Amino acid sequence: MRTFLFSFLSFLCLTSGKGNYANGNLQVAFGAEENYLLVRSLDSSIIHLGSPEEKKEYQEIIDEYLRFKSLHIQGKYGDAYLVVRSTQFKLIQLYDKILTKNLDLIRSELILLGGKSRDKEKTQTRAFLRLALRDVSEAEQKLVMARNTRPLLYLLKLREMLFSLKILKHAGKFVIFLNLLHDGKFMDSIEFSDFDSIESELIRGFGKGNNKLLALHYDNSFLPFGEESIYESMMTNYKAPEIKKD
């Protein structure tokens, strides 16, 4: 039954029908809407952790996503489907590289902070370390699950990778909390502070020159730091193709 349903949806999406029905089914069946979320969610991490080559890969992925939009607007659903699949394949490769870097960064920071806090632990120290390490372990499991998912199930792989990314950003917040707790002399309930308050405390405790912690703080909230958003810049300059009227 599932095989029949998938085949039926595929047929609807690949036909050149002009109605909104085929239009909507292309997005539902092949994950075009999820591609949007997956592409956008990677933006701050690419700026924070990406090499020049990885930033170029990301730009190419956005270009391809924009190409999909153009094909979709023109009603070329068969071509649009192929572009969606190509984008997902490239996203898998890039997500894997960025997640691996992110895992290494958070884990190394936690090891360093654990050593720093030894013999001078505060009330929240152990709780923050425990929660952060739990997040790192869960994020790593999600990445392993994505890698072990069948090769052609692109969207399932990417969903696990996006979960992993979100979990790592949560773990990154504990890295910020622990730095403020032990080196920044922040004494209030850090975990209940808002974004701007934490940014102010990072600047007060470590100075504006400590871009490493500020960059992590911004990335934890999916915000670019120190550079313009690659995604927003390319999307702003995108011009949709005109549809010729009969």
Side-chain angles (χ1 to χ4, degrees), residues 53-161:
E53 292 76 18
E54 287 159 350
K55 288 179 181 179
K56 186 177 179 181
E57 286 178 48
Y58 183 58
Q59 290 171 332
E60 290 171 355
I61 286 170
I62 298 173
D63 273 334
E64 197 166 64
Y65 174 71
L66 293 174
R67 181 166 169 255
F68 156 76
K69 289 187 70 174
S70 296
L71 291 167
H72 192 257
I73 289 169
Q74 296 171 60
K76 298 178 180 178
Y77 302 130
D79 291 338
Y81 163 60
L82 295 176
V83 173
V84 166
R85 290 286 288 173
S86 174
T87 302
Q88 289 172 352
F89 177 78
K90 292 174 183 176
L91 276 169
I92 289 168
Q93 317 308 312
L94 190 54
Y95 259 88
D96 197 299
K97 287 185 276 190
I98 295 300
L99 285 171
T100 300
K101 284 186 178 183
N102 210 337
L103 277 164
D104 290 343
L105 172 66
I106 300 298
R107 186 182 286 111
S108 63
E109 286 292 320
L110 290 172
I111 291 170
L112 182 63
L113 288 163
K116 279 184 180 181
S117 65
R118 194 169 297 160
D119 299 326
K120 54 177 182 179
E121 292 180 359
K122 298 183 181 180
T123 307
Q124 297 154 297
T125 302
R126 287 191 179 184
F128 286 164
L129 281 170
R130 184 177 67 252
L131 291 169
L133 289 169
R134 184 187 67 182
D135 281 347
V136 168
S137 177
E138 188 176 352
E140 195 164 31
Q141 287 175 11
K142 289 289 184 184
L143 180 55
V144 170
M145 286 173 64
R147 288 170 176 167
N148 290 338
T149 300
R150 290 183 180 181
L152 294 179
L153 298 179
Y154 295 167
L155 202 50
L156 291 182
K157 284 178 174 286
L158 285 165
R159 284 172 183 166
E160 296 294 347
M161 287 177 163

Side-chain angles (χ1 to χ4, degrees), residues 10 22 40 61 93 119 147 161 178 197 210 219 221 235 242-243:
S10 301
R40 185 166 190 170
I61 286 170
Q93 317 308 312
D119 299 326
R147 288 170 176 167
M161 287 177 163
L178 285 162
S197 298
N210 194 328
D219 189 20
S221 296
M235 292 299 289
E242 294 183 4
I243 301 176

Side-chain angles (χ1 to χ4, degrees), residues 231-243:
Y231 177 85
E232 292 295 341
S233 175
M234 294 183 70
M235 292 299 289
T236 300
N237 295 323
Y238 167 69
K239 292 183 179 179
E242 294 183 4
I243 301 176

Side-chain angles (χ1 to χ4, degrees), residues 157-198:
K157 284 178 174 286
L158 285 165
R159 284 172 183 166
E160 296 294 347
M161 287 177 163
L162 182 56
F163 278 133
S164 180
L165 184 67
K166 289 178 178 179
I167 295 166
L168 280 174
K169 291 187 188 298
H170 190 257
K173 292 181 180 182
F174 292 115
V175 171
I176 298 297
F177 294 164
L178 285 162
N179 271 287
L180 287 173
L181 193 64
H182 288 279
D183 293 331
K185 314 302 179 187
F186 192 97
M187 300 304 294
D188 295 331
S189 299
I190 307 170
E191 64 270 33
F192 300 114
S193 300
D194 61 23
F195 180 89
D196 291 336
S197 298
I198 292 175

Side-chain angles (χ1 to χ4, degrees), residues 210-224:
N210 194 328
N211 288 343
K212 184 180 80 169
L213 288 176
L214 284 172
L216 179 59
H217 177 51
Y218 271 70
D219 189 20
N220 290 339
S221 296
F222 290 90
L223 295 172

